[in-house]
């Protein structure tokens, strides 16, 4: 079944990136980048190494301020907003390299994440103990639910350091989901996953989207990108060279050229 079959007309715009440029000294990492992601849409940003994909994520999530151009989310211009303020709007990212606490269990890793993002740290001093216990119990339920949701239920009580790299990435996704995103930005989520883990991950992405969460995906795994994306934006040397549904992108001469030039990883 086609990933776009459910969508008969374009979704309302959620994220809009408008004429963005990013210069690092003399290096032009991104130039004149314009694209959008609709509500509930899965859009992939692809391109060879160094094309500017992670830089685009860093701009959208407020880790970098663009040299030029604007980013807006649900009509709100994000210029000048700190990463936490942008995360509070529901724009939540994962990182290209996942870091877990290797000597804590998967469950404890997720609990640590939930504690960090909640305001529970200060609560023991201001709340009575029964309420703290209830809150802690609710967090534990939430952690268990998230771990099941990403498919790590059977590994919950294993040390995070004992997980495969692909499974560790799922911990990162659980932590991102804990932040209750309205849009999830995934930076190479299936790198390090085997074919069957990747297949399961694609199901997970669809499940997340079916909850109405839009997804902006950066990924080198072309079969995965082709199977899951509604639309694909192709960057090369910081410029968008093509944009469209998978079938159009797959046959686009400029895209084929850009990838052949690099020696395609998975295409
Ligand atoms: N903070 C920074 N300071 C200076 N240069 C940077 C910075 N971040 C990225 N760059 C440069 O910008 C360019 C784009 O990098 P970016 O990490 O966005 O690429 P990418 O598309 O994510 O690549 P990959 O597929 O390897 O992850 C590269 O030339 C990189 O070296
Ligand atoms: Mg990158």
């Amino acid at each position: 079944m086609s990933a776009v079959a459910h969508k008969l007309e374009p979704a309302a715009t959620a994220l809009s990136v408008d004429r963005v440029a990013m210069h690092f000294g003399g290096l032009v990492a991104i130039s004149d980048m314009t694209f959008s992601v609709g509500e509930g849409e899965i859009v992939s940003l692809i391109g060879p190494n160094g094309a500017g994909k992670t830089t685009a994520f860093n701009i959208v999530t407020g880790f970098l301020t663009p040299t030029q151009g604007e980013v807006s989310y649900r009509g709100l211009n994000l210029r000048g907003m700190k990463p936490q303020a942008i995360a509070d709007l529901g724009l939540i990212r994962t990182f290209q390299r996942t870091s877990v606490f290797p000597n804590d269990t998967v469950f404890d890793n997720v609990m640590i994440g939930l504690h960090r993002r909640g305001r529970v740290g200060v609560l023991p001093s201001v709340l009575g103990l029964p309420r703290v216990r209830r809150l802690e119990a609710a967090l534990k339920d939430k952690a268990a639910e998230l771990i099941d949701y990403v498919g790590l239920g059977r590994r919950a009580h294993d040390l995070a350091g004992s997980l495969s790299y692909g499974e560790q990435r799922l911990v990162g996704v659980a932590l991102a989901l804990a932040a209750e995103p309205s849009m999830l930005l995934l930076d190479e989520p299936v790198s390090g996953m085997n074919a069957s883990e990747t297949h399961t991950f694609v199901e997970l992405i669809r499940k997340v989207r079916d909850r109405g969460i839009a997804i902006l995906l950066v990924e080198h795994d072309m079969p995965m990108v082709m199977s899951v994306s509604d639309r694909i934006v192709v960057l090369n040397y910081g410029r968008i060279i093509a944009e469209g549904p998978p079938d159009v992108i797959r046959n686009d001469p400029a895209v084929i050229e850009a990838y052949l030039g690099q020696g395609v990883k998975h295409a």
Side-chain angles (χ1 to χ4, degrees):
M1 194 188 79
S2 158
V4 292
H6 72 288
K7 236 158 45 76
L8 298 175
E9 54 188 73
T13 301
L15 177 72
S16 155
V17 174
D18 189 22
R19 311 211 66 172
V20 160
M22 186 76 229
H23 300 181
F24 296 111
L27 178 92
V28 180
I30 291 178
S31 44
D32 201 24
M33 180 172 70
T34 298
F35 71 93
S36 64
V37 181
E39 298 285 356
E41 209 180 12
I42 301 177
V43 174
S44 291
L45 192 57
I46 68 168
N49 293 114
K53 306 178 297 295
T54 297
T55 301
F57 268 26
N58 286 335
I59 290 169
V60 168
T61 53
F63 289 82
L64 287 171
T65 302
T67 313
Q68 278 172 41
E70 308 295 336
V71 178
S72 57
Y73 186 60
R74 295 183 162 173
L76 182 70
N77 192 322
L78 305 187
R79 179 163 286 277
M81 287 178 67
K82 298 254 181 309
Q84 185 57 54
I86 292 174
D88 289 343
L89 294 176
L91 267 172
I92 305 294
R93 73 180 301 181
T94 63
F95 290 86
Q96 190 162 353
R97 309 203 193 296
T98 303
S99 52
V100 295
F101 298 106
N103 299 319
D104 288 305
T105 64
V106 170
F107 185 82
D108 287 343
N109 266 270
V110 174
M111 282 297 284
I112 292 164
L114 287 173
H115 273 281
R116 266 197 189 156
R117 57 169 311 276
R119 288 153 200 86
V120 284
V122 298
L123 287 180
S125 56
V126 294
L127 293 181
L129 202 51
R131 273 184 74 186
V132 174
R133 284 215 189 96
R134 277 207 302 277
L135 192 67
E136 192 68 13
L139 282 183
K140 283 182 173 166
D141 287 349
K142 180 84 183 163
E145 183 197 324
L146 285 164
I147 290 166
D148 276 342
Y149 191 78
V150 301
L152 285 176
R154 280 166 41 204
R155 309 294 315 258
H157 298 292
D158 295 339
L159 295 183
S162 76
L163 301 186
S164 71
Y165 185 62
E167 288 171 323
Q168 291 187 21
R169 314 234 48 170
L170 293 174
V171 177
V173 174
L175 288 171
L177 290 172
E180 294 177 359
S182 51
M183 179 175 295
L184 193 56
L185 293 87
L186 300 166
D187 199 348
E188 301 199 22
V190 307
S191 76
M193 289 189 191
N194 64 34
S196 114
E197 287 172 328
T198 298
H199 178 77
T200 308
F201 193 78
V202 166
E203 298 299 311
L204 174 62
I205 289 183
R206 293 199 175 119
K207 202 164 64 164
V208 169
R209 189 271 294 283
D210 289 346
R211 284 162 66 160
I213 300 172
I215 291 169
L216 181 59
L217 172 72
V218 162
E219 190 43 69
H220 284 291
D221 182 330
M222 283 310 122
M224 187 267 195
V225 166
M226 292 294 166
S227 77
V228 80
S229 308
D230 294 318
R231 274 190 304 121
I232 299 173
V233 176
V234 188
L235 271 182
N236 195 25
Y237 295 111
R239 281 189 180 280
I240 294 177
I241 58 167
E243 180 179 344
D247 284 345
V248 172
I249 294 303
R250 188 182 280 125
N251 300 307
D252 186 298
V255 176
I256 295 166
E257 168 87 31
Y259 273 91
L260 288 180
Q262 196 217 13
V264 191
K265 278 188 176 171
H266 295 280

